[in-house]
Structures are given as structure tokens and as C-alpha cells.
Amino acid sequence: MVTVRAPATSANLGSGFDVFGAALERPADVVRVEKADRTTIEVTGVGSQYIPEDPEKNTVGAVAEELDAPAHIEIDKGVRPASGLGSSAASAAAAAVGLNELYDRGLTREELVPIAAEGEAVVSGAAHSDNVAPSIMGGFTIARNDGVTQVDASVPLVTCLPEIVVSTRDARQVVPEGARMEEVVETVANASTLAIGMARDDPDLVGRGMFDAIVTPARAELITGYDDVREAAFDAGATGVTISGAGPAVIAACHEPDRRDVAMAMIDAFEAADVEARAYQTRIGQGATIY
């Protein structure tokens, strides 16, 4: 048996739609894999009642098929489904790393990314790498069609998860089909600033680079209280605030001494909108770990 812990992730980070991703220190999924004649799945943990155990409908089933590695797979969910924190990606990433080890496939972490992305397609309808890449490789990642660029980073973050459900499919339906040239130029500038900030471990540059005027405003309409939560986080010291992935989680970059104040401010703002929420004081961390 091989046991793997794979972290939650935040994709997009505002300006890097379908490209940027970051591994979070917490929360995380823990997946155990054991060789078997056919793939079977058992799911426990947060939101497990909503996750199918049929291998054809579960991300890890697709990963096992891609690797030709049948196994009994136990998933202990620490990342809530439909959270915007890469829940399905964490399971897929852990399964890919675990089955690669169990069957001695010899694939590198980068080679495992597209395999785990095929698992993501079961849930989102498309094989995106922006969540699975950081969950496997850790740090800050840039997913391209020809591979992944990764840098280690340790920027302090707060992720605030409200008791709202926003499905990836619904969030994709509201993405604008076009943008004005000035919006595109601004987004490129912000994305470049964020990437440099990650390379320098600079929360101020990362925060400045999070702003996005194209996708985020449309998705914000799906999250009750988003504008007030964003404003409260800035007032408490956040350097940047945006939607994590497809939402509803909201992510804020900040300096270490401000993390607690930012977390409490975001929770209070959601509560003022009659929405229960919890916050994770976290940072960018390492990828999937084999126990």
C-alpha cells in the first residue's frame, strides 16, 4: 500500500485564468492505493457523500485507467468538493503519484500532470492542468500546452470558504466570450507582475498582480457578499484578493503578521451577508507527498 497526501490548490489567482496555480499548505486529501485486479474506490471525509465511488465517475478512476494501474483506492477528503480549492485535483494528483509509485511506472512529476488532468476532466468536462500541476509539483505553477513551469514560493495566504456551492461547470458558463484590448493588456501586465512576485516571494507584487477585470467580475456575481469580503480583506491588510479557482472560496495574499486579521475580517464580512464561512491561514507550500 502507498499513501499520498496531496494539497488543496488555488487556480487562476485572478489574472492567470486557466494558467496559474498554487499549492496550499492546507487543507489536503490523503489517498491510499493498493494493487488489485480491478479498480474500486472508497471515499470518506468532508463532502464524501457527494462523491461517486464508481471508477468511471471519479477522478481517481480515470487516473488508474490512464496508468493501467488497477487498485483499491481509499480517499480521505480534506478538501471540500465544489470549493474552488482544487478538491477533485487533489484526489487525482494523489492517485497519480501513488499509483506511479505502487506500480513503479517511473514517470516524473511533470509527466504525471497530464495524466492527473484526465482525471479532472471527469468532473469539469475538460482536462485542465492549473490545479493538478501545483498539487503534484508544489509551489507556483504556470501550465502551458507544452508543459509546466514551476517555482518554489512561500507567500502567506488566506483562503476563506463560504457555505455556498459554485460548480466548475456553472462558473465556466459565465466566463465572457470576449474582452476589450485594454482589458487584455492590463491582465497581461498583472499576470506578469504576479509571476515575478512569486519568483521573489513578494506578497506585495503577488497581490498587485491578482487583479483581473475580465473573468473575476462575472464569477463574483455567483458568490454572495464577495465585494464586501474583498473590501474587508484589503482593510485588514491584504495585498491582493480574488476568487480561488471557480469559487466560491476567496483567496487573499498578505504579509505574515496580517494573516489572522485578514482571515477574521473575511469571515465577519461573509457572516454580515448571512453566509457561514471558515478561513484557512496558509501559504504556498509543497506538492504531493508520499508517506
Side-chain angles (χ1 to χ4, degrees), residues 191-235:
S192 302
T193 300
L194 190 152
I196 291 175
M198 289 292 185
R200 295 180 179 177
D201 253 348
D202 186 331
D204 292 311
L205 284 179
V206 169
R208 284 170 55 191
M210 282 182 167
F211 182 74
D212 155 54
I214 300 175
V215 177
T216 302
R219 288 184 163 179
E221 298 295 324
L222 303 175
I223 304 172
T224 302
Y226 173 78
D227 290 337
D228 291 338
V229 170
R230 183 174 184 272
E231 183 178 354
F234 275 121
D235 289 344

Side-chain angles (χ1 to χ4, degrees), residues 7 16 30 39 75 77 156 229 237 262 282:
V30 175
T39 296
I75 305 171
K77 294 297 297 178
V229 170
V262 171
T282 184

Side-chain angles (χ1 to χ4, degrees), residues 238-275:
T239 60
V241 185
T242 192
I243 297 170
S244 178
V250 180
I251 186 167
C254 59
H255 291 275
E256 186 80 26
D258 296 324
R259 278 199 308 185
R260 179 176 173 79
D261 289 344
V262 171
M264 294 305 299
M266 295 172 80
I267 290 174
D268 290 345
F270 268 125
E271 289 184 351
D274 293 325
V275 177

Side-chain angles (χ1 to χ4, degrees), residues 134-161:
S135 193
I136 290 175
M137 302 176 70
F140 168 69
T141 58
I142 301 172
R144 309 179 313 277
N145 289 334
D146 62 345
V148 178
T149 298
Q150 185 267 0
V151 295
D152 291 328
S154 187
V155 175
L157 301 168
V158 173
T159 57
C160 190
L161 178 58

Side-chain angles (χ1 to χ4, degrees), residues 66-70 99-108 111-112:
E66 285 289 315
L67 285 170
D68 188 21
L99 291 171
N100 182 59
E101 178 78 7
L102 184 68
Y103 278 88
D104 196 22
R105 293 290 186 250
L107 299 176
T108 66
E111 289 171 334
L112 289 174

